Amino acid sequence: RQWMKGATSVQDKNVVLLGDSLTAGWNNTPGYPNGAQILKDYAAKYPQVRPISFGMSGDGPENTLWLVTAGKLPALFPSPKVIVLMIGINSLNKFSSKNQTEFDPENVAEDIATIVNCFQRERPAAKLLLLGILPCWGPTAPVRQAISHTNERIRSLADDKNIFFLDFGHQMLLPDGKIHPELTYDDLHLTSQGYALWASMMFP
């Protein structure tokens, strides 16, 4: 993971964003550049928030769990103020399109709960913002139901004291259930406008 190089440069960050390629889109990296300027602009607007994204394309909950346990993240961030987590779409897509039943919504929700429990145990002073998995593909795609089911399950993890749940996926949809074409470029990954919507929901 490229961000592990030069680890000392991240010590001043107090908000950690974890997830897959959607979270990676906050970085100015090849293939996922769309959120970098949005993140910079909102960080300037909210100077008390010093975020850094550790999203990685293709990751699922099991990868994130490794990152926050066996990986180097705990050493890099001994006392994060806020942890933002959105993970699960890669697993649900495997379940819906390839019938890999180990990634069914119940299992994905349980894996996310394991990550949340890990945060509570290892970083009890940090607040956790748990984001709902965003919609993708068309309104009749099987993964849509899997996303809804998983989000309903993980919503119950929030206690509104240390763990907060935010689901803004419905704001991405047109009345017919299709994703607004200005928000994604492939019905999955976000455009700059998509990241602007995410930031407007998350930062306040």
Side-chain angles (χ1 to χ4, degrees), residues 64-70 74 83 111-124 128 163:
T64 302
L65 184 60
W66 174 87
L67 183 63
V68 301
T69 54
I83 300 166
D111 289 345
I112 294 172
T114 299
I115 298 171
V116 170
N117 290 336
C118 178
F119 288 147
Q120 288 185 294
R121 181 176 66 253
E122 301 296 334
R123 296 293 181 268
L128 174 63
I163 305 169

Side-chain angles (χ1 to χ4, degrees), residues 58-63 87-112 133 142-143 145-147 149-150:
D59 271 7
E62 68 280 6
N63 305 107
I87 195 71
I89 189 56
N90 290 317
S91 299
L92 296 179
N93 270 324
K94 291 176 183 177
F95 167 70
S96 300
S97 64
K98 300 177 182 178
N99 198 31
Q100 296 186 19
T101 54
E102 67 269 29
F103 297 119
D104 69 39
E106 287 293 327
N107 288 336
V108 172
E110 286 299 321
D111 289 345
I112 294 172
I133 301 169
V143 74
Q145 186 174 0
I147 292 169
H149 186 88
T150 306

Side-chain angles (χ1 to χ4, degrees), residues 131-192:
L131 300 178
I133 301 169
L134 298 180
C136 63
W137 316 134
T140 61
V143 74
R144 286 286 192 95
Q145 186 174 0
I147 292 169
S148 295
H149 186 88
T150 306
N151 283 344
E152 284 304 309
R153 288 279 282 105
I154 65 176
R155 182 187 300 273
S156 64
L157 299 172
D159 59 12
D160 294 331
K161 295 179 181 179
N162 295 302
I163 305 169
F164 301 86
F165 182 75
L166 173 63
D167 183 10
F168 59 91
H170 62 283
Q171 297 199 29
M172 299 178 61
L173 302 179
L174 297 170
D176 61 2
K178 294 180 180 178
I179 300 174
H180 197 294
E182 291 185 355
L183 300 180
T184 75
Y185 57 84
D186 60 0
D187 277 344
L188 175 61
H189 298 97
L190 302 178
T191 62
S192 294

Side-chain angles (χ1 to χ4, degrees), residues 1 17-24 53-60 63-64 67 84-88 90:
R1 293 174 182 269
L17 299 109
L18 299 174
D20 46 45
S21 59
L22 294 171
T23 301
S53 167
F54 288 155
M56 181 63 65
S57 178
D59 271 7
N63 305 107
T64 302
L67 183 63
V84 180
L85 175 66
M86 180 167 64
I87 195 71
N90 290 317

